[in-house]
Amino acid sequence: MTTASAPSADGESITNTQEAGVDEGGIVKVRGNFLIVLRRGRLFTLSIADRGMRPVDMIDAYPPGAQSRGDWYDEMLVSGDWVVVVGYSYSRAGTEINRFRLSSDGQLTFVDAYHLRSNDYYNSSNYASRMIGNRLIFYTPLYLRYTDNPADALPGLKRWRGDPADRAFRPIATPRQIYFSPAMLRNPEGVLSTLHSLTTCDLVAPELSCSATGILGPASREFYVSGSGIYLWVDSQAEQTGRFPFNRQIFRLPFGAERPSAVGVRGGVIDQFAFREDAAEGMLNVLVQASEYGGQMWLPEAPPRTVALLRIPLSEFGDGSREVRRRFYRLLPNPGAGYLSENRFIGDHIVYGYGTRIDPSASPRPTAVAASLRGGPAIPLEMRHGVSRIEALGRDALVVGDGERGSLGFTAIELGQPEARLGDSYFMPAATQGEARSHAFFYNPDPRTPDGASGVLGLPIARPIDGRYYGLIQSAAGMLFLRREQRRFSPAGTLDAEVRNVADDDCVASCLDWYGNARPIFLRGRIFALLGYELVEGRIGENGRIAETGRLNFAPAARAPATGN
C-alpha cells in the first residue's frame, strides 16, 4: 500500500504516511501512554493512561536561552524515549535539530541542538524529515552563490552552544559525496544553482552523528523516501534541443553502500505522491504530465498536458547521461485536458484527478482516473465534487473536494473490481477541509475487514469563526467522522473546538501553524480529535453517532482573553 500508517513504539499507528515503515515528521506522536504534541514553538506531553486525559509537561521546542522569534518549528519525530524537533532558524541560518528525552512519567528534558547548513526547507505539502528505525533523514536545499568559498558550500553540521556569532559548520560530506549529472553539466543552457542535500543522522548517538550526500542541480525539486533510499527529481528550465533532449532527471540515493545514480526523464511531477517504489520488482513508478510545450513531452505527436505512467526498472539508472526509453512510458487519459490536481498510488493502482472546484455550468466536470499499474483500461470517473484530496480506504480510494452550495464531498472509488468504479458518496453541508496536508486525514479500518470495507475516517473541517480567535484557532473548528459500513458511508458526527475559551498563549516562536493544528487520532480503541490546544475524546454509540466523552485544554497559562475588532 502506498498510503500507510507509521507504527508507534507500541506497534500502533496514528499518522497517515506515504510509505509503510517510513515515519514522517508531524505535530503529534505517541509513546506508551503519552501523546507528544508540537504546537506554536512548544512541546506538550499528555497522559492517556487509565482511560483518562491529563496534561503532564510543557517545554520550549528550542534551546534554552535561544532568541527564537522568527524561527519555525514544524516537525517532530520520536524514537524510543528520544524526541526530536525539526525547524528552520533564520537568525541562525540553518535547519535546526533539537533533541529531548522523554522520561517514564512524561517529563521532557532538553538534551542538545544542532544546525544543518541550509536554506529554508519548507514545502507546502511534503515533510522535510523522515525516520526509519533510529535513522533520521532530512532533505535541505542550499542555494549557491558565486562569492561562496567552495568549502562553505558543502553540507555542514554544528552544535548549538548558545553563541549566536558561532557559524563554524563542520563538513559532513566530502567533495566525493557531491554528485551531478554529466548531461546537465554539458548543457550550456543548464543552471546548477542548488546543492540538494540528503542527510542521515543517528538519532540516539550521544552526540548527533550525521552524513550527507549532495546533488548539484537547478532549484526545482521534489523528493520521495522509500524503505531503501531517496529519490530526488530535479527540473531544469533550460530549453531542450536535439543535442540536449531532456532536462529533468531522477537521482536515486540508496541507503546502503551503493553509489547514487540518475536517469533522464521528460514531463513533470506535482508532488511526492507521484512516486512509488516497488522494491520487490526492482521498479520505480512515477506519474508524469507534459507541459504546454511539445519538446518537453516523451512523444512529439502527444498533445500538451498528456499524462503517462512511467515504470522505470532500477537497472535503467546510471550516471544520468541516458534518458528513460520510450517503451517505459504508458500513456493515460487526461479527460479534461487540464493540469493534475492530485495523485496517489493505492495498492496496485494509480489514482489521479483534475479540478479542485465544482462548476455546474462548466465542462468537463472534475474527474478522477484509476489505472492498474500492470496494464488494462484506465477508467475516468466523473465526480460530483472537486478533487482536492485522494486517500486510501483499505484497498479502495477516497476522493475529497468541495461540492455545490458550500458542501464538502467524499466519494469512494472501488478498486477491487475487474474495472474501477464509483462507490458511495457523502456530502457534508456548509463545510470545507480544515487542512490539505496528508497527516490531517486518517482511516481506521475495522479489524474484521482488513480490506477496509468497514471503518471510520476523520478529517478536520473549517467553519466560520469569530475573527478575534482566528490567530489562535485558525481553521481547526471541528473534526468530522464518517462511518463506512460494507462500503456505504454514514455520518458519525463531529467533535468541535470550544472557541470561546481561547486565550493568548504568549507565543514566542513558530506562531503560525504552517503544518496545521488538527489531527484525528485512533488509538487502542479510543477516538480523539486534536483541535489546537484541545484534545477531545469521543465514542461512537450504537446509533452510529459520535458523542463527546472528555475534553482536555492543555494551553499554556493565559495572560488575558484574546481581543480584536
Side-chain angles (χ1 to χ4, degrees):
M1 300 293 292
T2 293
T3 303
S5 46
S8 73
D10 303 312
E12 295 178 273
S13 306
I14 65 168
T15 302
N16 176 39
T17 60
Q18 180 180 8
E19 191 78 19
V22 182
D23 198 9
E24 300 169 356
I27 64 169
V28 59
K29 302 292 180 182
V30 61
R31 167 66 175 167
N33 286 321
F34 300 100
L35 293 176
I36 306 105
V37 179
L38 172 65
R39 176 139 207 260
R40 291 168 66 87
R42 296 182 174 102
L43 281 172
F44 302 84
T45 53
L46 313 176
S47 172
I48 54 171
D50 302 322
R51 308 296 296 183
M53 296 184 293
R54 63 180 179 87
V56 177
D57 197 17
M58 177 186 74
I59 192 172
D60 290 334
Y62 46 88
Q67 299 299 313
S68 295
R69 290 191 181 275
D71 295 343
W72 300 95
Y73 303 97
D74 303 309
E75 304 181 23
M76 171 187 53
L77 290 152
V78 175
S79 178
D81 59 357
W82 287 86
V83 179
V84 62
V85 173
V86 179
Y88 187 79
S89 171
Y90 287 95
S91 60
R92 293 179 289 283
T95 296
E96 193 166 306
I97 306 168
N98 299 324
R99 299 198 299 175
F100 302 81
R101 295 298 287 268
L102 176 69
S103 69
S104 60
D105 59 355
Q107 300 296 315
L108 288 163
T109 304
F110 173 79
V111 176
D112 51 20
Y114 298 83
H115 289 89
L116 294 171
R117 179 160 41 209
S118 78
N119 292 103
D120 192 349
Y121 64 80
Y122 175 76
N123 184 296
S124 62
S125 65
N126 206 345
Y127 300 93
S129 61
R130 304 290 195 277
M131 180 177 288
I132 302 176
N134 291 332
R135 175 191 288 155
L136 277 174
I137 303 160
F138 299 94
Y139 166 80
T140 53
L142 185 63
Y143 307 123
L144 305 177
R145 301 173 297 179
Y146 291 111
T147 57
D148 283 341
N149 180 333
D152 292 340
L154 291 173
L157 178 74
K158 69 175 181 180
R159 183 169 179 173
W160 185 88
R161 300 184 186 278
D163 181 2
D166 178 13
R167 298 183 178 272
F169 285 91
R170 173 177 57 83
I172 55 174
T174 68
R176 291 181 177 274
Q177 292 168 275
I178 307 300
Y179 298 86
F180 58 85
S181 162
M184 281 193 173
L185 192 64
R186 289 195 303 266
N187 188 345
E189 301 295 328
V191 177
L192 302 181
S193 62
T194 306
L195 181 63
H196 303 277
S197 296
L198 290 306
T199 303
T200 61
C201 306
D202 181 358
L203 171 62
V204 302
E207 182 164 346
L208 195 68
S209 174
C210 300
S211 177
T213 300
I215 302 295
L216 281 171
S220 178
R221 87 287 186 275
E222 290 290 346
F223 76 100
Y224 155 70
V225 182
S226 74
S228 66
I230 302 170
Y231 293 87
L232 178 69
W233 174 287
V234 293
D235 181 354
S236 172
Q237 299 304 312
E239 182 179 354
Q240 294 180 184
T241 66
R243 185 180 175 192
F244 304 103
F246 60 93
N247 57 15
R248 295 163 172 84
Q249 293 196 317
I250 303 174
F251 285 85
R252 179 173 181 259
L253 295 89
F255 289 136
E258 186 181 349
R259 287 171 56 88
S261 55
V263 67
V265 289
R266 303 199 188 196
V269 296
I270 63 172
D271 57 23
Q272 73 272 22
F273 295 113
F275 299 84
R276 206 272 294 281
E277 180 191 76
D278 287 334
E281 298 182 44
M283 193 80 66
L284 177 69
N285 303 280
V286 191
L287 188 72
V288 293
Q289 182 173 34
S291 69
E292 300 284 359
Y293 304 102
Q296 295 178 350
M297 291 188 274
W298 43 88
L299 288 175
E301 65 273 20
R305 305 179 185 176
T306 297
V307 176
L309 174 62
L310 178 54
R311 283 175 56 80
I312 313 172
L314 298 186
S315 59
E316 290 287 299
F317 284 79
D319 67 358
S321 60
R322 186 176 65 178
E323 74 170 305
V324 173
R325 286 173 281 179
R326 185 178 297 183
R327 64 189 178 92
F328 294 118
Y329 292 89
R330 172 187 163 202
L331 296 182
L332 294 176
N334 180 349
Y339 285 112
L340 292 169
S341 58
E342 293 290 324
N343 52 194
R344 193 65 61 95
F345 288 94
I346 299 174
D348 292 330
H349 288 76
I350 176 67
V351 181
Y352 59 96
Y354 304 86
T356 57
R357 295 189 178 278
I358 194 77
D359 184 352
S361 63
S363 180
R365 294 170 70 88
T367 301
V369 180
S372 170
L373 301 184
R374 291 164 181 79
I379 310 298
L381 301 163
E382 189 173 280
M383 309 300 295
R384 295 164 54 203
H385 53 75
V387 182
S388 298
R389 177 185 289 273
I390 300 175
E391 300 285 359
L393 292 177
R395 74 179 188 190
D396 299 329
L398 174 70
V399 179
V400 182
D402 292 338
E404 296 182 15
R405 295 183 293 276
S407 63
L408 181 62
F410 299 76
T411 297
I413 298 177
E414 297 180 7
L415 300 175
Q417 309 300 318
E419 292 187 358
R421 67 185 184 187
L422 285 177
D424 197 26
S425 292
Y426 170 78
F427 288 84
M428 175 72 174
T432 60
Q433 285 194 83
E435 186 189 335
R437 281 188 173 269
S438 60
H439 287 186
F441 172 88
F442 198 95
Y443 180 62
N444 188 45
D446 291 351
R448 58 185 172 84
T449 59
D451 65 349
S454 298
V456 180
L457 68 86
L459 182 71
I461 57 171
R463 292 169 172 159
I465 61 174
D466 192 316
R468 292 177 296 172
Y469 309 114
Y470 182 79
L472 292 173
I473 200 72
Q474 293 178 31
S475 58
M479 190 69 63
L480 171 67
F481 293 94
L482 290 184
R483 174 70 189 166
R484 192 184 196 214
E485 185 69 34
Q486 294 304 312
R487 295 188 163 82
R488 301 288 295 179
F489 290 126
S490 61
T494 63
L495 296 176
D496 298 316
E498 180 52 75
V499 176
R500 291 173 297 177
N501 292 334
V502 172
D504 193 336
D505 62 356
D506 197 18
C507 182
V508 172
S510 200
C511 297
L512 187 65
D513 293 319
W514 293 112
Y515 282 49
N517 58 18
R519 298 288 186 268
I521 299 170
F522 299 87
L523 184 60
R524 301 168 200 159
R526 301 170 72 181
I527 301 175
F528 301 94
L530 177 66
L531 300 166
Y533 283 124
E534 292 183 298
L535 185 66
V536 186
E537 184 172 6
R539 185 176 63 85
I540 296 178
E542 294 182 358
N543 62 356
R545 306 290 293 184
I546 195 164
E548 180 180 326
T549 60
R551 180 180 296 261
L552 171 66
N553 189 318
F554 58 93
R559 293 185 305 175
T563 59
N565 295 324

